[in-house]
Amino acid sequence: MTALTADAATTAARLRDGMASGVLSFPLTSFTDTKGGQGDGATALDLPAFRDYLAAQIETGPGAIFPACGTGEFFSLDEDEYREVITAAVREAGGRLPVVAGIGYGWAQAARFARIAEEAGADAALVLPHYLVKGPQSGLVEQIRQIAARTRLPLIAYQRDQVAFTMDSLRELVRIPGVIGLKDGHSDLDRLQRLKLAAPDDFLFFNGAATAEVQARPYASIGITAYSSAVHAFAPEIANAFFTAQRDGDDATVERLLRDFYVPLVELRDRVPGYAVSLVKAAARLRGRPVGPVRAPLTDPGQDDLADLEALLTTGLDLVGAAR
């Protein structure tokens, strides 16, 4: 890996320590129910509610926070809203844990978001998969190179959907100044193990599969123990209990949580496109968290799915002895 600046090396070290100590938190973004009281389904950013929600999330001890990423509906934020979200996250974190801001679209727009995140005080940026088109390996690498040339923030590449790096491409990535890690959402462990072997020992990898706990043991088998947790966004008690059990080799607890909570959650999630975010936000609302509705093109769950979600949430909280 190209030698990092002192700030980037410090951020990478803080992230490595955080990944070992807790789940990676991807907080929701709070919206009001309507915009202008029109009842038309439009929403506005609810910054005070977001701050309250985020403060509660941070108190549960995640290893790092990743605001304005997929779970935080980055794709639905304009630049002004994005600035407010990242600024609020940095202030709430208060230097206690790293703040990694989501950036994305084509490299020109991603660089604009990176500059905003940099000005807001973020520690690093997660490069979400680019918009719409597929590209060859050389183009995937060049996308990251162009962003890196326009920001001082350390970058973590995110491979999922149309982005999947080869070993040769990863070797190119690690030579780009400021690139410190890779989030994986493909769960192709053969391919991922090859990528890990092609990278320097200090390059960061983490499991970014949807409902990542279901894949936590397979990822750990190839030496990738860190993961993002959507469940942490609404039930940090469950997420933290799973993390502790997985870390400590408590297979009985891991399997009980997988069987009775996480796998049924995945089955519920798979009913409707977009439920990977919509269900998370609905579960947070069920617990009284001030997060509001999702923005289009996502839709909030219907009553039948909400009832199933509430029952499943009750089961999960009971399994870890947490208050409902």
Side-chain angles (χ1 to χ4, degrees):
M1 186 162 59
T2 299
L4 300 175
T5 65
D7 287 348
T10 297
T11 296
R14 291 181 68 208
L15 280 167
R16 187 175 297 105
D17 290 344
M19 288 175 175
S21 66
V23 300
L24 303 178
S25 172
F26 282 66
L28 298 158
T29 300
S30 297
F31 299 122
T32 57
D33 287 335
T34 59
K35 188 173 184 178
Q38 299 172 8
D40 59 2
T43 60
L45 179 65
D46 189 343
L47 201 58
F50 175 69
R51 290 193 184 114
D52 289 345
Y53 164 75
L54 190 57
Q57 286 283 296
I58 290 171
E59 288 304 315
T60 65
I65 55 170
F66 288 67
C69 292
T71 308
E73 297 179 78
F74 166 78
F75 46 84
S76 293
L77 299 174
D78 67 29
E79 291 185 11
D80 290 337
E81 291 171 327
Y82 177 84
R83 184 185 300 276
E84 292 187 282
V85 166
I86 304 304
T87 299
V90 170
R91 289 176 179 170
E92 291 299 329
R96 290 175 289 170
L97 72 173
V99 176
V100 184
I103 62 173
Y105 306 115
W107 64 257
Q109 188 63 40
R112 288 175 62 91
F113 280 106
R115 285 194 293 274
I116 294 170
E118 190 175 320
E119 292 166 1
D123 297 293
L126 176 68
V127 184
L128 304 174
H130 61 271
Y131 172 68
L132 189 62
V133 297
K134 295 182 178 180
Q137 288 295 309
S138 59
L140 300 183
V141 173
E142 188 63 20
Q143 162 88 345
I144 303 297
R145 182 178 287 111
Q146 291 294 334
I147 299 168
R150 290 163 173 80
T151 181
R152 293 191 298 272
L153 290 179
L155 301 179
I156 299 171
Y158 186 5
Q159 64 167 18
R160 63 175 292 173
D161 299 324
Q162 70 267 35
V163 177
F165 296 105
T166 64
M167 292 177 71
D168 286 342
S169 293
L170 189 73
R171 293 187 184 102
E172 289 295 316
L173 276 184
V174 301
R175 287 196 283 267
I176 298 173
V179 176
I180 62 172
L182 179 73
K183 178 183 180 183
D184 175 70
H186 286 294
S187 301
D188 182 339
L189 296 184
D190 174 73
R191 183 188 187 99
L192 185 57
Q193 182 166 242
R194 294 167 190 253
L195 296 182
K196 193 169 184 296
L197 292 171
D201 291 341
D202 58 353
F203 196 72
L204 303 174
F205 285 88
F206 67 95
N207 165 9
T211 318
E213 286 89 344
V214 174
Q215 299 286 349
R217 287 198 290 190
Y219 274 84
S221 73
I222 61 170
I224 299 175
T225 56
Y227 58 87
S228 58
S229 175
V231 170
H232 187 274
F234 65 87
E237 306 96 325
I238 299 173
N240 289 341
F242 184 94
F243 179 88
T244 299
Q246 170 74 10
R247 180 194 62 196
D248 295 347
D250 181 356
D251 290 339
T253 297
V254 168
E255 289 177 7
R256 184 165 59 250
L257 285 169
L258 287 173
R259 180 182 60 249
D260 297 337
F261 176 74
Y262 281 101
V263 169
L265 180 64
V266 169
E267 292 173 348
L268 180 56
R269 181 200 73 201
D270 288 347
R271 290 182 187 176
V272 177
Y275 264 17
V277 176
S278 300
L279 280 180
V280 173
K281 215 163 197 184
R285 291 195 301 272
L286 286 171
R287 302 201 70 200
R289 306 296 188 252
V291 296
V294 293
R295 276 183 171 172
L298 302 179
T299 58
D300 289 311
Q303 289 303 312
D304 289 344
D305 290 344
L306 275 177
D308 290 345
L309 177 63
E310 187 169 16
L312 184 55
L313 180 57
T314 297
T315 296
L317 292 170
D318 286 347
L319 284 171
V320 300
R324 301 178 189 176

PDB file of all heavy atoms in Angstrom, residues 80-115:
ATOM      1  N   ASP A  80     -27.008  20.141   0.304  1.00  0.00           N
ATOM      2  CA  ASP A  80     -27.185  20.902   1.531  1.00  0.00           C
ATOM      3  C   ASP A  80     -27.570  19.985   2.690  1.00  0.00           C
ATOM      4  O   ASP A  80     -27.061  20.116   3.814  1.00  0.00           O
ATOM      5  CB  ASP A  80     -28.245  21.984   1.352  1.00  0.00           C
ATOM      6  CG  ASP A  80     -27.788  23.108   0.431  1.00  0.00           C
ATOM      7  OD1 ASP A  80     -26.565  23.288   0.285  1.00  0.00           O
ATOM      8  OD2 ASP A  80     -28.656  23.809  -0.137  1.00  0.00           O
ATOM      9  N   GLU A  81     -28.491  19.068   2.432  1.00  0.00           N
ATOM     10  CA  GLU A  81     -28.888  18.111   3.463  1.00  0.00           C
ATOM     11  C   GLU A  81     -27.702  17.235   3.856  1.00  0.00           C
ATOM     12  O   GLU A  81     -27.486  16.950   5.053  1.00  0.00           O
ATOM     13  CB  GLU A  81     -30.035  17.243   2.959  1.00  0.00           C
ATOM     14  CG  GLU A  81     -31.344  17.988   2.775  1.00  0.00           C
ATOM     15  CD  GLU A  81     -32.384  17.148   2.077  1.00  0.00           C
ATOM     16  OE1 GLU A  81     -32.017  16.319   1.208  1.00  0.00           O
ATOM     17  OE2 GLU A  81     -33.572  17.314   2.404  1.00  0.00           O
ATOM     18  N   TYR A  82     -26.948  16.805   2.870  1.00  0.00           N
ATOM     19  CA  TYR A  82     -25.780  15.973   3.130  1.00  0.00           C
ATOM     20  C   TYR A  82     -24.803  16.690   4.059  1.00  0.00           C
ATOM     21  O   TYR A  82     -24.296  16.104   5.026  1.00  0.00           O
ATOM     22  CB  TYR A  82     -25.110  15.625   1.800  1.00  0.00           C
ATOM     23  CG  TYR A  82     -23.830  14.829   1.918  1.00  0.00           C
ATOM     24  CD1 TYR A  82     -23.865  13.446   2.040  1.00  0.00           C
ATOM     25  CD2 TYR A  82     -22.584  15.455   1.880  1.00  0.00           C
ATOM     26  CE1 TYR A  82     -22.688  12.711   2.138  1.00  0.00           C
ATOM     27  CE2 TYR A  82     -21.415  14.732   1.969  1.00  0.00           C
ATOM     28  CZ  TYR A  82     -21.463  13.359   2.099  1.00  0.00           C
ATOM     29  OH  TYR A  82     -20.302  12.638   2.206  1.00  0.00           O
ATOM     30  N   ARG A  83     -24.547  17.945   3.768  1.00  0.00           N
ATOM     31  CA  ARG A  83     -23.635  18.720   4.621  1.00  0.00           C
ATOM     32  C   ARG A  83     -24.140  18.754   6.064  1.00  0.00           C
ATOM     33  O   ARG A  83     -23.368  18.582   7.011  1.00  0.00           O
ATOM     34  CB  ARG A  83     -23.492  20.147   4.079  1.00  0.00           C
ATOM     35  CG  ARG A  83     -22.479  21.001   4.847  1.00  0.00           C
ATOM     36  CD  ARG A  83     -22.472  22.436   4.335  1.00  0.00           C
ATOM     37  NE  ARG A  83     -22.124  22.502   2.923  1.00  0.00           N
ATOM     38  CZ  ARG A  83     -20.880  22.511   2.467  1.00  0.00           C
ATOM     39  NH1 ARG A  83     -19.865  22.453   3.317  1.00  0.00           N
ATOM     40  NH2 ARG A  83     -20.656  22.586   1.164  1.00  0.00           N
ATOM     41  N   GLU A  84     -25.441  18.973   6.229  1.00  0.00           N
ATOM     42  CA  GLU A  84     -26.001  19.033   7.577  1.00  0.00           C
ATOM     43  C   GLU A  84     -25.879  17.697   8.294  1.00  0.00           C
ATOM     44  O   GLU A  84     -25.574  17.644   9.497  1.00  0.00           O
ATOM     45  CB  GLU A  84     -27.465  19.468   7.508  1.00  0.00           C
ATOM     46  CG  GLU A  84     -27.668  20.901   7.065  1.00  0.00           C
ATOM     47  CD  GLU A  84     -29.120  21.323   7.176  1.00  0.00           C
ATOM     48  OE1 GLU A  84     -29.899  20.943   6.276  1.00  0.00           O
ATOM     49  OE2 GLU A  84     -29.466  22.006   8.151  1.00  0.00           O
ATOM     50  N   VAL A  85     -26.119  16.606   7.576  1.00  0.00           N
ATOM     51  CA  VAL A  85     -26.030  15.276   8.177  1.00  0.00           C
ATOM     52  C   VAL A  85     -24.603  14.967   8.621  1.00  0.00           C
ATOM     53  O   VAL A  85     -24.367  14.505   9.753  1.00  0.00           O
ATOM     54  CB  VAL A  85     -26.544  14.208   7.184  1.00  0.00           C
ATOM     55  CG1 VAL A  85     -26.142  12.807   7.629  1.00  0.00           C
ATOM     56  CG2 VAL A  85     -28.059  14.300   7.051  1.00  0.00           C
ATOM     57  N   ILE A  86     -23.630  15.211   7.762  1.00  0.00           N
ATOM     58  CA  ILE A  86     -22.247  14.897   8.120  1.00  0.00           C
ATOM     59  C   ILE A  86     -21.752  15.817   9.236  1.00  0.00           C
ATOM     60  O   ILE A  86     -21.079  15.371  10.177  1.00  0.00           O
ATOM     61  CB  ILE A  86     -21.320  14.994   6.887  1.00  0.00           C
ATOM     62  CG1 ILE A  86     -21.817  14.077   5.766  1.00  0.00           C
ATOM     63  CG2 ILE A  86     -19.886  14.632   7.278  1.00  0.00           C
ATOM     64  CD1 ILE A  86     -21.983  12.626   6.143  1.00  0.00           C
ATOM     65  N   THR A  87     -22.097  17.084   9.161  1.00  0.00           N
ATOM     66  CA  THR A  87     -21.704  18.019  10.214  1.00  0.00           C
ATOM     67  C   THR A  87     -22.270  17.585  11.561  1.00  0.00           C
ATOM     68  O   THR A  87     -21.566  17.587  12.588  1.00  0.00           O
ATOM     69  CB  THR A  87     -22.172  19.444   9.873  1.00  0.00           C
ATOM     70  OG1 THR A  87     -21.552  19.864   8.654  1.00  0.00           O
ATOM     71  CG2 THR A  87     -21.793  20.424  10.973  1.00  0.00           C
ATOM     72  N   ALA A  88     -23.544  17.197  11.567  1.00  0.00           N
ATOM     73  CA  ALA A  88     -24.162  16.745  12.815  1.00  0.00           C
ATOM     74  C   ALA A  88     -23.498  15.480  13.337  1.00  0.00           C
ATOM     75  O   ALA A  88     -23.277  15.334  14.553  1.00  0.00           O
ATOM     76  CB  ALA A  88     -25.656  16.499  12.591  1.00  0.00           C
ATOM     77  N   ALA A  89     -23.160  14.558  12.443  1.00  0.00           N
ATOM     78  CA  ALA A  89     -22.515  13.316  12.868  1.00  0.00           C
ATOM     79  C   ALA A  89     -21.150  13.587  13.491  1.00  0.00           C
ATOM     80  O   ALA A  89     -20.788  12.994  14.516  1.00  0.00           O
ATOM     81  CB  ALA A  89     -22.382  12.369  11.678  1.00  0.00           C
ATOM     82  N   VAL A  90     -20.391  14.476  12.876  1.00  0.00           N
ATOM     83  CA  VAL A  90     -19.073  14.812  13.411  1.00  0.00           C
ATOM     84  C   VAL A  90     -19.207  15.447  14.796  1.00  0.00           C
ATOM     85  O   VAL A  90     -18.455  15.117  15.728  1.00  0.00           O
ATOM     86  CB  VAL A  90     -18.323  15.745  12.440  1.00  0.00           C
ATOM     87  CG1 VAL A  90     -17.055  16.302  13.092  1.00  0.00           C
ATOM     88  CG2 VAL A  90     -17.974  15.000  11.147  1.00  0.00           C
ATOM     89  N   ARG A  91     -20.169  16.338  14.939  1.00  0.00           N
ATOM     90  CA  ARG A  91     -20.359  16.988  16.237  1.00  0.00           C
ATOM     91  C   ARG A  91     -20.814  16.007  17.300  1.00  0.00           C
ATOM     92  O   ARG A  91     -20.345  16.057  18.445  1.00  0.00           O
ATOM     93  CB  ARG A  91     -21.365  18.134  16.089  1.00  0.00           C
ATOM     94  CG  ARG A  91     -20.817  19.319  15.311  1.00  0.00           C
ATOM     95  CD  ARG A  91     -21.870  20.388  15.098  1.00  0.00           C
ATOM     96  NE  ARG A  91     -21.323  21.531  14.365  1.00  0.00           N
ATOM     97  CZ  ARG A  91     -22.052  22.525  13.879  1.00  0.00           C
ATOM     98  NH1 ARG A  91     -23.361  22.532  14.048  1.00  0.00           N
ATOM     99  NH2 ARG A  91     -21.475  23.518  13.219  1.00  0.00           N
ATOM    100  N   GLU A  92     -21.729  15.115  16.963  1.00  0.00           N
ATOM    101  CA  GLU A  92     -22.198  14.145  17.946  1.00  0.00           C
ATOM    102  C   GLU A  92     -21.094  13.157  18.318  1.00  0.00           C
ATOM    103  O   GLU A  92     -20.988  12.746  19.473  1.00  0.00           O
ATOM    104  CB  GLU A  92     -23.421  13.389  17.423  1.00  0.00           C
ATOM    105  CG  GLU A  92     -24.675  14.229  17.304  1.00  0.00           C
ATOM    106  CD  GLU A  92     -25.137  14.816  18.628  1.00  0.00           C
ATOM    107  OE1 GLU A  92     -24.912  14.177  19.680  1.00  0.00           O
ATOM    108  OE2 GLU A  92     -25.726  15.910  18.609  1.00  0.00           O
ATOM    109  N   ALA A  93     -20.279  12.776  17.352  1.00  0.00           N
ATOM    110  CA  ALA A  93     -19.179  11.845  17.647  1.00  0.00           C
ATOM    111  C   ALA A  93     -18.146  12.510  18.549  1.00  0.00           C
ATOM    112  O   ALA A  93     -17.553  11.853  19.419  1.00  0.00           O
ATOM    113  CB  ALA A  93     -18.534  11.370  16.356  1.00  0.00           C
ATOM    114  N   GLY A  94     -17.900  13.786  18.345  1.00  0.00           N
ATOM    115  CA  GLY A  94     -16.995  14.530  19.210  1.00  0.00           C
ATOM    116  C   GLY A  94     -15.609  13.929  19.319  1.00  0.00           C
ATOM    117  O   GLY A  94     -14.953  14.061  20.356  1.00  0.00           O
ATOM    118  N   GLY A  95     -15.154  13.267  18.260  1.00  0.00           N
ATOM    119  CA  GLY A  95     -13.824  12.676  18.277  1.00  0.00           C
ATOM    120  C   GLY A  95     -13.732  11.350  19.004  1.00  0.00           C
ATOM    121  O   GLY A  95     -12.654  10.752  19.068  1.00  0.00           O
ATOM    122  N   ARG A  96     -14.848  10.858  19.538  1.00  0.00           N
ATOM    123  CA  ARG A  96     -14.811   9.606  20.296  1.00  0.00           C
ATOM    124  C   ARG A  96     -14.651   8.378  19.412  1.00  0.00           C
ATOM    125  O   ARG A  96     -14.170   7.331  19.870  1.00  0.00           O
ATOM    126  CB  ARG A  96     -16.086   9.462  21.134  1.00  0.00           C
ATOM    127  CG  ARG A  96     -16.186  10.440  22.305  1.00  0.00           C
ATOM    128  CD  ARG A  96     -17.519  10.316  23.000  1.00  0.00           C
ATOM    129  NE  ARG A  96     -18.610  10.830  22.189  1.00  0.00           N
ATOM    130  CZ  ARG A  96     -19.902  10.662  22.478  1.00  0.00           C
ATOM    131  NH1 ARG A  96     -20.246   9.950  23.546  1.00  0.00           N
ATOM    132  NH2 ARG A  96     -20.833  11.181  21.701  1.00  0.00           N
ATOM    133  N   LEU A  97     -15.091   8.475  18.181  1.00  0.00           N
ATOM    134  CA  LEU A  97     -14.988   7.357  17.241  1.00  0.00           C
ATOM    135  C   LEU A  97     -14.941   7.923  15.831  1.00  0.00           C
ATOM    136  O   LEU A  97     -15.375   9.044  15.593  1.00  0.00           O
ATOM    137  CB  LEU A  97     -16.138   6.368  17.409  1.00  0.00           C
ATOM    138  CG  LEU A  97     -17.542   6.743  16.951  1.00  0.00           C
ATOM    139  CD1 LEU A  97     -18.456   5.521  17.078  1.00  0.00           C
ATOM    140  CD2 LEU A  97     -18.140   7.888  17.726  1.00  0.00           C
ATOM    141  N   PRO A  98     -14.391   7.157  14.881  1.00  0.00           N
ATOM    142  CA  PRO A  98     -14.271   7.679  13.518  1.00  0.00           C
ATOM    143  C   PRO A  98     -15.624   7.887  12.850  1.00  0.00           C
ATOM    144  O   PRO A  98     -16.574   7.130  13.074  1.00  0.00           O
ATOM    145  CB  PRO A  98     -13.479   6.574  12.790  1.00  0.00           C
ATOM    146  CG  PRO A  98     -12.830   5.773  13.866  1.00  0.00           C
ATOM    147  CD  PRO A  98     -13.758   5.835  15.038  1.00  0.00           C
ATOM    148  N   VAL A  99     -15.680   8.929  12.016  1.00  0.00           N
ATOM    149  CA  VAL A  99     -16.862   9.221  11.209  1.00  0.00           C
ATOM    150  C   VAL A  99     -16.479   9.041   9.744  1.00  0.00           C
ATOM    151  O   VAL A  99     -15.606   9.748   9.230  1.00  0.00           O
ATOM    152  CB  VAL A  99     -17.371  10.660  11.446  1.00  0.00           C
ATOM    153  CG1 VAL A  99     -18.548  10.965  10.516  1.00  0.00           C
ATOM    154  CG2 VAL A  99     -17.768  10.855  12.900  1.00  0.00           C
ATOM    155  N   VAL A 100     -17.126   8.086   9.074  1.00  0.00           N
ATOM    156  CA  VAL A 100     -16.837   7.786   7.671  1.00  0.00           C
ATOM    157  C   VAL A 100     -18.076   8.135   6.861  1.00  0.00           C
ATOM    158  O   VAL A 100     -19.123   7.494   6.991  1.00  0.00           O
ATOM    159  CB  VAL A 100     -16.463   6.307   7.474  1.00  0.00           C
ATOM    160  CG1 VAL A 100     -16.078   6.040   6.022  1.00  0.00           C
ATOM    161  CG2 VAL A 100     -15.317   5.905   8.409  1.00  0.00           C
ATOM    162  N   ALA A 101     -17.968   9.148   6.022  1.00  0.00           N
ATOM    163  CA  ALA A 101     -19.112   9.654   5.271  1.00  0.00           C
ATOM    164  C   ALA A 101     -19.289   8.885   3.964  1.00  0.00           C
ATOM    165  O   ALA A 101     -18.312   8.577   3.274  1.00  0.00           O
ATOM    166  CB  ALA A 101     -18.922  11.143   4.967  1.00  0.00           C
ATOM    167  N   GLY A 102     -20.530   8.610   3.598  1.00  0.00           N
ATOM    168  CA  GLY A 102     -20.795   8.018   2.294  1.00  0.00           C
ATOM    169  C   GLY A 102     -20.646   9.048   1.191  1.00  0.00           C
ATOM    170  O   GLY A 102     -21.051  10.204   1.343  1.00  0.00           O
ATOM    171  N   ILE A 103     -20.036   8.643   0.086  1.00  0.00           N
ATOM    172  CA  ILE A 103     -19.982   9.476  -1.129  1.00  0.00           C
ATOM    173  C   ILE A 103     -20.294   8.565  -2.312  1.00  0.00           C
ATOM    174  O   ILE A 103     -20.152   7.347  -2.212  1.00  0.00           O
ATOM    175  CB  ILE A 103     -18.612  10.174  -1.322  1.00  0.00           C
ATOM    176  CG1 ILE A 103     -17.491   9.137  -1.487  1.00  0.00           C
ATOM    177  CG2 ILE A 103     -18.305  11.102  -0.160  1.00  0.00           C
ATOM    178  CD1 ILE A 103     -16.140   9.767  -1.842  1.00  0.00           C
ATOM    179  N   GLY A 104     -20.705   9.155  -3.445  1.00  0.00           N
ATOM    180  CA  GLY A 104     -21.033   8.279  -4.561  1.00  0.00           C
ATOM    181  C   GLY A 104     -21.437   9.003  -5.817  1.00  0.00           C
ATOM    182  O   GLY A 104     -21.207  10.187  -5.960  1.00  0.00           O
ATOM    183  N   TYR A 105     -22.050   8.236  -6.741  1.00  0.00           N
ATOM    184  CA  TYR A 105     -22.373   8.611  -8.122  1.00  0.00           C
ATOM    185  C   TYR A 105     -21.089   8.552  -8.962  1.00  0.00           C
ATOM    186  O   TYR A 105     -20.165   7.813  -8.628  1.00  0.00           O
ATOM    187  CB  TYR A 105     -23.066   9.967  -8.201  1.00  0.00           C
ATOM    188  CG  TYR A 105     -24.297  10.068  -7.323  1.00  0.00           C
ATOM    189  CD1 TYR A 105     -24.344  10.942  -6.239  1.00  0.00           C
ATOM    190  CD2 TYR A 105     -25.412   9.266  -7.564  1.00  0.00           C
ATOM    191  CE1 TYR A 105     -25.462  11.016  -5.420  1.00  0.00           C
ATOM    192  CE2 TYR A 105     -26.536   9.347  -6.754  1.00  0.00           C
ATOM    193  CZ  TYR A 105     -26.554  10.214  -5.689  1.00  0.00           C
ATOM    194  OH  TYR A 105     -27.662  10.281  -4.879  1.00  0.00           O
ATOM    195  N   GLY A 106     -21.028   9.272 -10.065  1.00  0.00           N
ATOM    196  CA  GLY A 106     -19.795   9.320 -10.842  1.00  0.00           C
ATOM    197  C   GLY A 106     -18.717  10.054 -10.066  1.00  0.00           C
ATOM    198  O   GLY A 106     -18.988  10.736  -9.075  1.00  0.00           O
ATOM    199  N   TRP A 107     -17.455   9.950 -10.544  1.00  0.00           N
ATOM    200  CA  TRP A 107     -16.364  10.485  -9.725  1.00  0.00           C
ATOM    201  C   TRP A 107     -16.459  11.990  -9.529  1.00  0.00           C
ATOM    202  O   TRP A 107     -16.077  12.510  -8.473  1.00  0.00           O
ATOM    203  CB  TRP A 107     -15.008  10.094 -10.293  1.00  0.00           C
ATOM    204  CG  TRP A 107     -14.634  10.631 -11.645  1.00  0.00           C
ATOM    205  CD1 TRP A 107     -14.652   9.953 -12.827  1.00  0.00           C
ATOM    206  CD2 TRP A 107     -14.171  11.956 -11.955  1.00  0.00           C
ATOM    207  NE1 TRP A 107     -14.245  10.756 -13.865  1.00  0.00           N
ATOM    208  CE2 TRP A 107     -13.927  11.994 -13.352  1.00  0.00           C
ATOM    209  CE3 TRP A 107     -13.931  13.109 -11.218  1.00  0.00           C
ATOM    210  CZ2 TRP A 107     -13.470  13.143 -14.003  1.00  0.00           C
ATOM    211  CZ3 TRP A 107     -13.473  14.248 -11.853  1.00  0.00           C
ATOM    212  CH2 TRP A 107     -13.253  14.254 -13.241  1.00  0.00           C
ATOM    213  N   ALA A 108     -16.994  12.724 -10.513  1.00  0.00           N
ATOM    214  CA  ALA A 108     -17.075  14.174 -10.359  1.00  0.00           C
ATOM    215  C   ALA A 108     -18.023  14.554  -9.226  1.00  0.00           C
ATOM    216  O   ALA A 108     -17.710  15.416  -8.393  1.00  0.00           O
ATOM    217  CB  ALA A 108     -17.519  14.815 -11.671  1.00  0.00           C
ATOM    218  N   GLN A 109     -19.195  13.914  -9.192  1.00  0.00           N
ATOM    219  CA  GLN A 109     -20.144  14.200  -8.114  1.00  0.00           C
ATOM    220  C   GLN A 109     -19.645  13.635  -6.791  1.00  0.00           C
ATOM    221  O   GLN A 109     -19.808  14.259  -5.735  1.00  0.00           O
ATOM    222  CB  GLN A 109     -21.510  13.616  -8.448  1.00  0.00           C
ATOM    223  CG  GLN A 109     -22.614  14.016  -7.483  1.00  0.00           C
ATOM    224  CD  GLN A 109     -22.890  15.507  -7.465  1.00  0.00           C
ATOM    225  OE1 GLN A 109     -22.888  16.151  -8.513  1.00  0.00           O
ATOM    226  NE2 GLN A 109     -23.099  16.064  -6.289  1.00  0.00           N
ATOM    227  N   ALA A 110     -19.048  12.458  -6.827  1.00  0.00           N
ATOM    228  CA  ALA A 110     -18.498  11.877  -5.597  1.00  0.00           C
ATOM    229  C   ALA A 110     -17.447  12.797  -4.987  1.00  0.00           C
ATOM    230  O   ALA A 110     -17.372  12.946  -3.759  1.00  0.00           O
ATOM    231  CB  ALA A 110     -17.901  10.505  -5.880  1.00  0.00           C
ATOM    232  N   ALA A 111     -16.646  13.413  -5.828  1.00  0.00           N
ATOM    233  CA  ALA A 111     -15.624  14.336  -5.337  1.00  0.00           C
ATOM    234  C   ALA A 111     -16.265  15.556  -4.684  1.00  0.00           C
ATOM    235  O   ALA A 111     -15.735  16.094  -3.706  1.00  0.00           O
ATOM    236  CB  ALA A 111     -14.700  14.755  -6.469  1.00  0.00           C
ATOM    237  N   ARG A 112     -17.394  16.024  -5.219  1.00  0.00           N
ATOM    238  CA  ARG A 112     -18.105  17.145  -4.596  1.00  0.00           C
ATOM    239  C   ARG A 112     -18.571  16.763  -3.189  1.00  0.00           C
ATOM    240  O   ARG A 112     -18.419  17.535  -2.233  1.00  0.00           O
ATOM    241  CB  ARG A 112     -19.306  17.570  -5.443  1.00  0.00           C
ATOM    242  CG  ARG A 112     -18.946  18.278  -6.731  1.00  0.00           C
ATOM    243  CD  ARG A 112     -20.183  18.553  -7.580  1.00  0.00           C
ATOM    244  NE  ARG A 112     -21.125  19.427  -6.896  1.00  0.00           N
ATOM    245  CZ  ARG A 112     -21.121  20.760  -6.998  1.00  0.00           C
ATOM    246  NH1 ARG A 112     -20.212  21.358  -7.750  1.00  0.00           N
ATOM    247  NH2 ARG A 112     -22.029  21.482  -6.367  1.00  0.00           N
ATOM    248  N   PHE A 113     -19.155  15.582  -3.059  1.00  0.00           N
ATOM    249  CA  PHE A 113     -19.572  15.125  -1.735  1.00  0.00           C
ATOM    250  C   PHE A 113     -18.361  14.936  -0.815  1.00  0.00           C
ATOM    251  O   PHE A 113     -18.442  15.226   0.387  1.00  0.00           O
ATOM    252  CB  PHE A 113     -20.359  13.826  -1.851  1.00  0.00           C
ATOM    253  CG  PHE A 113     -21.801  14.024  -2.255  1.00  0.00           C
ATOM    254  CD1 PHE A 113     -22.227  13.720  -3.534  1.00  0.00           C
ATOM    255  CD2 PHE A 113     -22.724  14.523  -1.347  1.00  0.00           C
ATOM    256  CE1 PHE A 113     -23.556  13.913  -3.908  1.00  0.00           C
ATOM    257  CE2 PHE A 113     -24.056  14.713  -1.704  1.00  0.00           C
ATOM    258  CZ  PHE A 113     -24.470  14.414  -2.990  1.00  0.00           C
ATOM    259  N   ALA A 114     -17.251  14.446  -1.360  1.00  0.00           N
ATOM    260  CA  ALA A 114     -16.046  14.274  -0.545  1.00  0.00           C
ATOM    261  C   ALA A 114     -15.562  15.609   0.002  1.00  0.00           C
ATOM    262  O   ALA A 114     -15.145  15.701   1.170  1.00  0.00           O
ATOM    263  CB  ALA A 114     -14.948  13.595  -1.356  1.00  0.00           C
ATOM    264  N   ARG A 115     -15.623  16.651  -0.827  1.00  0.00           N
ATOM    265  CA  ARG A 115     -15.195  17.973  -0.348  1.00  0.00           C
ATOM    266  C   ARG A 115     -16.108  18.474   0.771  1.00  0.00           C
ATOM    267  O   ARG A 115     -15.651  19.067   1.750  1.00  0.00           O
ATOM    268  CB  ARG A 115     -15.179  18.973  -1.511  1.00  0.00           C
ATOM    269  CG  ARG A 115     -13.990  18.782  -2.448  1.00  0.00           C
ATOM    270  CD  ARG A 115     -13.811  19.975  -3.366  1.00  0.00           C
ATOM    271  NE  ARG A 115     -14.911  20.118  -4.317  1.00  0.00           N
ATOM    272  CZ  ARG A 115     -14.950  19.489  -5.497  1.00  0.00           C
ATOM    273  NH1 ARG A 115     -13.968  18.682  -5.870  1.00  0.00           N
ATOM    274  NH2 ARG A 115     -15.975  19.685  -6.310  1.00  0.00           N
TER     275      ARG A 115
END
